[in-house]
Amino acid sequence: MKKIAVFASGSGSNFQAIAVAAQAGILSAEISLLVCDKPGAFAVDRADMLGIPVLVISPKSYPSKAAYEEEILQKLISLDVEMIVLAGYMRLIGPTLLEAYEGKIVNIHPSLLPAFPGKDAIGQALAAGIETTGVTIHYVDEGMDTGPIIASASVRVEAGETRESLQKKIQRIEHSLYPEVLEKLLNGEGEVLQWERSVH
Ligand code: GRF
């Protein structure tokens, strides 16, 4: 069974969806670790409830980003982690982890990239007044939400849509799409994964 570490900074609902899929056998992987850079984040409570080990680690306690990531890397190596899954991890991945896990780090972003990268993608989409937004899963490189796209799903922005209603629709898709895409990646189907889906 391949071992995955999930990185999260906030609520951790995607982390939970992935962990539940793994525990149910829908995703053939072991979620070996949650890495959380925000002490007190709800993701940590979810990990405790699911019985998944957690590394809570604050960058402020390290002299540099490289030192912070080196500490994480040593933990990942000690657990034989093969893949890093970012799920609401609010930090750019630096060279230390990128080089060690080249081509093995993925992220989920709540827009149809390359539209609306960075923070508050849902707010950006609403402000732009577009009719369709969505979710993108992509490989991670040194940029902000810029790596090669693996999969995307589109979501219609209805008239009168609020931030809350749109976020709810997007998250519902994320929670099913992310485990499904990870399963395909683990089965070596990453190359043929350039697929799209529409959800209304
Ligand atoms: C998700 O919407 C994801 O697309 C973005 O951050 C959010 C994390 O939500 N990168 P959660 O912490 O998984 O609930």
Side-chain angles (χ1 to χ4, degrees):
M1 196 79 96
K2 291 233 166 122
K3 295 183 175 173
I4 290 178
V6 179
F7 287 30
S9 305
S11 157
S13 69
N14 279 283
F15 157 66
Q16 178 168 329
I18 292 163
V20 166
Q23 289 178 349
I26 297 165
L27 171 59
S28 32
E30 179 187 323
I31 310 305
S32 304
L33 186 69
L34 171 73
V35 175
C36 182
D37 61 329
K38 291 263 163 59
F42 190 55
V44 175
D45 297 290
R46 295 192 200 254
D48 290 344
M49 286 186 281
L50 290 156
I52 292 173
V54 187
L55 173 65
V56 180
I57 181 162
S58 175
K60 281 182 270 170
S61 314
Y62 293 83
S64 63
K65 181 162 186 154
Y68 162 73
E69 288 200 342
E70 185 61 35
E71 182 84 17
I72 297 174
L73 179 59
Q74 289 314 315
K75 182 76 180 172
L76 299 181
I77 290 170
S78 76
L79 293 171
D80 290 327
V81 166
E82 288 176 63
M83 188 178 184
I84 296 175
V85 172
L86 307 183
Y89 180 67
M90 303 301 284
R91 224 166 262 288
L92 280 179
I93 299 292
T96 306
L97 285 171
L98 276 177
E99 279 160 25
Y101 282 89
E102 202 190 340
K104 291 177 180 164
I105 311 179
V106 296
N107 181 43
I108 191 163
H109 184 77
S111 76
L112 291 175
L113 289 171
F116 313 127
K119 284 198 177 139
D120 193 21
I122 294 175
Q124 290 184 54
L126 280 175
I130 47 156
E131 285 178 7
T132 305
T133 184
V135 172
T136 306
I137 295 172
H138 63 96
Y139 287 108
V140 171
D141 62 13
E142 62 288 342
M144 172 93 80
D145 305 316
T146 48
I149 290 172
I150 303 165
S152 64
S154 56
V155 178
R156 268 192 77 78
V157 183
E158 309 288 347
E161 193 89 69
T162 64
R163 200 193 164 71
E164 289 67 35
S165 64
L166 186 54
Q167 183 167 355
K168 216 179 226 176
K169 282 202 277 191
I170 282 181
Q171 288 229 315
R172 202 178 312 134
I173 290 164
E174 289 185 337
H175 297 163
S176 63
L177 189 67
Y178 216 177
E180 201 180 316
V181 168
L182 290 174
E183 177 67 11
K184 288 192 191 286
L185 287 179
L186 291 172
N187 290 332
E189 293 173 48
E191 306 311 318
V192 292
L193 253 184
Q194 297 269 344
W195 47 270
E196 268 181 45
R197 167 189 305 190
S198 265
V199 184
H200 297 282

